[in-house]
Each structure stands twice: as C-alpha cells, then as structure tokens.
C-alpha cells in the first residue's frame, strides 16, 4: 500500500469514529467526561486527577503560572489548583493532555523530534492566543488558549500512528500532510483533525477558529477568535514543522506587529507581557 492509500485509509477510519488513542489517554477521556457532569464536585475531580501524575503536574503548574495566579501565592495541591482554575480550564487541560500523550507516543527518533518541535510551536501559539484575546481582540482568553492547543492535532495523530506504517512520514512534511492541490481544505491532516474535534466534543467556535487559521485570511483590525488564532500563529517565534513556509511573509508579520491597537502597539503589548507568555508556555 502506498502512502496516499495509507493516508486515505487513516482519514476514512477517523471519519467512521475508528480513532486510536494511547492507553494512557483514556484516563484523560474519563476525566473529560466527568467534568461534563453537573453533579461533579471539586473533591471528586481532584481525586481523579491525583491518580494521573502527568495531569496533576500540569494542573498545578498551570495554576502557578503568571497568567492564572495573579497573587503569586504558591499552590502545591491539586484541589486548590482545580478551585483556582475552574472546571472549564481543567477540562481544556485534560483535552490538551490527550494531544500531548499522542506526541509522547511517537516511537522513532525522527518522529519524536518532529513531535517535540510541533509541541513547542503549539505551546507558543496557545500562549500568544490567550494574551492577544485578552489584550487585543477582546475574545474569551480561555477559548483562545484551547484553540491554540488543538490547531495541530491532526499532525500529532499522524505522528502517533506513523510507527504502524513505515515510510508514512518520510520526506518533507508537505509530502504527507498535503492532499489534492485543488482541494487544500481536505488534506489528510485536516480531515483527521476534524474527526478528532468531533470525537473530543470540541466546541463549534473553536473548530471554526481553527478552520479560519487553516484558510489563512487575517482581517484588519483582528477581532474574531479566528483572527486571534491566526495572528498568534504568525507571531509565534517557533514555526510549525508541518509548514515549510509561514502563512504570510515575515514582512507581513512585521507589519502586523507594528499595527496600532488603541494607544499601544502590538509590539509593546508583547514586550510587556513576555514574562506572562513565558510562564504559560512553561506550564503547558
């Protein structure tokens, strides 16, 4: 079976709901579902998180980040962290950990390197999206963060499954994420991403924002959630290893940085918030 046939089979499998997740990700799925229960208590969620070391560490780290912990008081336990973050942020983090575990599931050295680069890019975009939502576009910052963390999920899934299909990720990324040149909206990576969004119950506004990022059309001034995500993508100092070229040129990006937002330039906002962004990236 050649690469094109393999990719199409993976897309078909995903479209039918036949997605394969790491065993460790199933615990995240259960916590994700528990958070949808209106009768679920903070104590109950904290107990479930405590038995998952990775999620416990991320929840406490996020609660101690500058973006969430304005008081600076060190938080050292899961229950207090959940109380500070709220169920919505914890649910977002559980979903994100599924993506993180797919990245960790890469088996070959080249695939692990690709997954690490993809994760670094993702964390930068997510942190910048949260900042831009709060300071520039007046969008919901939590939603922007969530969209940023999921915008490359189809690529993570392909990296995770690659060990099953020798040669799947050989060559440049455009060889295996690209589809029909006349139908760029339905590449294997994007179609698998859409199936993952459905399986994970990703809210429609988040899906729409990611679709807008894929299309690459930024409005000026940026006002929507999609604009927020696209601007974060363009401003990220770490480019996606799945894209050989940025959506727009560096010259265009510099023009965006110089854009005036009220009495502040975007460049000033980014400089003032550098510590906050770095803290959030570290927590993620």
């Amino acid at each position: 079976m050649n690469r094109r046939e393999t990719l199409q089979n993976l897309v078909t499998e995903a479209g039918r709901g036949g997605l394969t997740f790491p065993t460790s990700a199933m615990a995240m799925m259960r916590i994700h579902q528990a958070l949808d229960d209106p009768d679920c208590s903070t104590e109950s969620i904290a107990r479930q998180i405590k038995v998952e070391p990775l999620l416990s560490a991320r929840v406490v780290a996020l609660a101690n980040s500058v973006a969430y912990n304005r008081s600076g008081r060190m938080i050292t336990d899961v229950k207090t962290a959940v109380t500070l973050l709220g169920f919505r942020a914890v649910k977002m983090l559980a979903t994100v950990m599924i993506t993180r575990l797919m990245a960790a599931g890469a088996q070959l050295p080249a695939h692990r390197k690709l997954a690490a680069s993809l994760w670094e890019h993702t964390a930068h975009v997510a942190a910048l999206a949260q900042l831009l939502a709060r300071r520039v576009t007046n969008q919901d910052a939590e939603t922007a963060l969530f969209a940023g963390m999921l915008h490359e999920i189809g690529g993570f899934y392909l990296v995770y499954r690659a060990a099953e299909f020798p040669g799947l990720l050989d060559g440049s990324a455009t060889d295996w994420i690209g589809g029909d040149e006349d139908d760029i909206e339905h590449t294997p990576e994007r179609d698998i991403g859409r199936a993952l969004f459905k399986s994970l119950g990703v809210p429609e506004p988040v899906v729409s924002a990611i679709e807008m990022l894929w299309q690459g059309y930024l409005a000026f001034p940026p006002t929507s959630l999609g604009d927020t995500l696209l601007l974060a993508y363009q401003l990220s100092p770490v480019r996606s290893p799945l894209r050989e070229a940025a959506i727009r040129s560096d010259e265009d990006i510099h023009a965006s940085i110089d854009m005036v937002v009220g009495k502040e330039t975007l460049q000033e906002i980014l400089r003032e918030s550098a510590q906050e962004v770095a803290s959030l990236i570290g927590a993620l």
Side-chain angles (χ1 to χ4, degrees):
M1 184 182 300
N2 62 35
R3 175 159 44 197
R4 180 178 290 272
E5 291 173 337
T6 299
L7 286 168
Q8 187 52 55
N9 284 345
L10 284 170
V11 170
T12 300
E13 175 186 85
R16 291 174 178 170
L19 293 161
T20 300
F21 294 101
T23 302
S24 52
M26 301 312 295
M28 305 302 164
M29 297 282 279
R30 289 192 294 271
I31 292 171
H32 185 281
Q33 292 166 358
L35 287 161
D36 286 329
D37 184 350
D39 296 324
C40 186
S41 66
T42 299
E43 290 79 4
S44 174
I45 287 297
R47 282 197 301 271
Q48 293 182 61
I49 292 173
K50 285 177 183 177
V51 300
E52 300 300 330
L54 281 174
L55 185 57
S56 294
R58 292 305 91 198
V59 165
V60 172
L62 192 63
N64 279 305
S65 69
V66 176
Y68 286 90
N69 191 343
R70 301 292 182 178
S71 71
R73 182 175 63 87
M74 180 64 68
I75 292 171
T76 58
D77 66 283
V78 171
K79 182 180 177 182
T80 303
V82 171
T83 301
L84 175 65
L85 294 173
F87 279 14
R88 185 181 176 203
V90 174
K91 182 177 179 181
M92 175 272 292
L93 198 55
T95 306
V96 167
M97 285 304 300
I98 295 171
T99 304
R100 189 72 179 95
L101 289 165
M102 285 194 288
Q107 297 182 26
L108 299 179
H111 298 168
R112 288 196 293 270
K113 181 179 179 180
L114 176 61
S117 296
L118 191 57
W119 185 258
E120 184 181 7
H121 161 78
T122 296
H124 275 83
V125 171
L128 285 168
Q130 187 191 58
L131 168 68
L132 293 168
R134 190 170 62 250
R135 297 284 302 272
V136 177
T137 61
N138 296 315
Q139 291 290 315
D140 183 82
E142 294 297 331
T143 303
L145 176 70
F146 190 37
M149 293 306 301
L150 293 183
H151 78 280
E152 296 280 18
I153 194 170
F156 280 112
Y157 188 81
L158 287 175
V159 172
Y160 167 61
R161 297 293 304 276
E164 301 173 44
F165 308 100
L168 180 67
L169 305 189
D170 289 350
S172 68
T174 52
D175 292 337
W176 49 269
I177 66 170
D180 189 331
E181 291 183 357
D182 296 325
D183 189 17
I184 60 173
E185 293 303 309
H186 291 282
T187 65
E189 175 213 13
R190 293 179 183 179
D191 283 342
I192 288 172
R194 292 179 180 107
L196 286 161
F197 296 152
K198 182 178 180 181
S199 176
L200 296 172
V202 177
E204 190 279 331
V206 173
V207 176
S208 294
I210 294 173
E211 292 276 3
M212 185 173 174
L213 168 63
W214 290 343
Q215 293 166 9
Y217 299 113
L218 177 64
F220 279 94
T223 57
S224 70
L225 182 60
D227 292 332
T228 305
L229 187 57
L230 184 52
L231 188 56
Y233 184 98
Q234 292 172 348
L235 292 171
S236 172
V238 180
R239 299 291 176 84
S240 170
L242 303 187
R243 323 286 169 207
E244 291 189 343
I247 291 177
R248 295 168 64 201
S249 68
D250 285 341
E251 183 178 346
D252 289 336
I253 293 172
H254 293 157
S256 297
I257 294 174
D258 291 335
M259 178 185 64
V260 175
V261 182
K263 295 182 179 180
E264 299 175 293
T265 66
L266 188 53
Q267 190 173 38
E268 289 171 347
I269 290 172
L270 293 172
R271 184 171 58 250
E272 291 170 3
S273 306
Q275 181 183 0
E276 180 179 330
V277 171
S279 175
L280 186 55
I281 289 170
L284 294 171

